[in-house]
Amino acid sequence: MPSFSDTRRVNHSAERMYKLIADVEQYPQFLPLCDALVVQSREERRGKEILIADMTVAYKVVRETYSSRVILDRDKRRVFVESITGPFHHLDNRWTIREVSQNSCDVDFYIDYEFKSRPLQLLMGSMFDYAFHKFSDAFVARADDVYGSAS
């Protein structure tokens, strides 16, 4: 199964980065391959917010929509995503934000996935790998746009 992980020191507070990552409705504005995202449901359960969201990813002529369960754990500054339906046999995505100082944090990003279809894996696999390598950059750039660039 393809996987990717990255840890990035960010010059924004842990709370701000958590808020930015948890704001999934904004992803189409800045995230590579994310063409659309619609939250279908939202509920509170045991101190966590649980979302069911449909994300449409697009690259050239390929356009796929999948549903995922997003678990937002504000207290621990963690975000978990798992696919429910769509082109993935398996998708596990995790974000962990750790405070370093009042104005900086470490953001850990991890994802592993496997497409249900071998042809789709061959077609989209390398593009997904490329996009995942750009995810950290996209979130840092978004934080700088929203909160101002740290000097």
Side-chain angles (χ1 to χ4, degrees), residues 9-14 98-106:
R9 175 78 37 100
V10 180
N11 291 320
H12 296 284
S13 72
R98 293 184 318 276
E99 184 173 351
V100 173
S101 70
Q102 184 177 1
N103 294 311
S104 68
C105 64
D106 285 340

Side-chain angles (χ1 to χ4, degrees), residues 1-69:
M1 263 186 299
S3 66
F4 174 75
S5 64
D6 186 32
T7 299
R8 180 74 63 96
R9 175 78 37 100
V10 180
N11 291 320
H12 296 284
S13 72
E15 183 58 32
R16 283 184 166 181
M17 288 308 295
Y18 172 82
K19 185 177 176 182
L20 188 124
I21 292 165
D23 190 7
V24 299
E25 289 97 341
Q26 300 304 311
Y27 286 10
Q29 294 183 27
F30 67 95
L31 199 59
L33 301 182
C34 182
D35 192 53
L37 192 142
V38 177
V39 173
Q40 299 297 335
S41 68
R42 187 182 301 260
E43 69 177 88
E44 288 285 326
R45 195 181 311 157
R46 289 185 237 135
K48 297 179 180 84
E49 190 173 6
I50 313 293
L51 313 176
I52 302 299
D54 294 340
M55 179 186 268
T56 301
V57 294
Y59 176 68
K60 296 186 180 182
V61 299
V62 177
R63 188 175 167 85
E64 291 283 340
T65 300
Y66 67 96
S67 294
S68 60
R69 178 177 298 104

Side-chain angles (χ1 to χ4, degrees), residues 30-131:
F30 67 95
L31 199 59
L33 301 182
C34 182
D35 192 53
L37 192 142
V38 177
V39 173
Q40 299 297 335
S41 68
R42 187 182 301 260
E43 69 177 88
E44 288 285 326
R45 195 181 311 157
R46 289 185 237 135
K48 297 179 180 84
E49 190 173 6
I50 313 293
L51 313 176
I52 302 299
D54 294 340
M55 179 186 268
T56 301
V57 294
Y59 176 68
K60 296 186 180 182
V61 299
V62 177
R63 188 175 167 85
E64 291 283 340
T65 300
Y66 67 96
S67 294
S68 60
R69 178 177 298 104
V70 181
I71 302 170
L72 304 173
D73 186 344
R74 183 180 204 92
D75 292 341
K76 294 182 180 177
R77 292 190 187 108
R78 294 182 184 165
V79 176
F80 302 95
V81 182
E82 62 182 348
S83 66
I84 300 171
T85 65
F88 295 102
H89 173 67
H90 167 82
L91 176 114
D92 177 24
N93 175 211
R94 293 177 249 150
W95 295 91
T96 304
I97 300 97
R98 293 184 318 276
E99 184 173 351
V100 173
S101 70
Q102 184 177 1
N103 294 311
S104 68
C105 64
D106 285 340
V107 178
D108 295 331
F109 170 75
Y110 171 81
I111 190 163
D112 72 66
Y113 67 97
E114 181 179 10
F115 287 101
K116 288 179 182 174
S117 150
R118 179 84 174 132
L120 190 59
Q121 176 68 37
L122 293 172
L123 181 64
M124 293 291 287
S126 63
M127 191 59 220
F128 266 61
D129 289 346
Y130 173 79

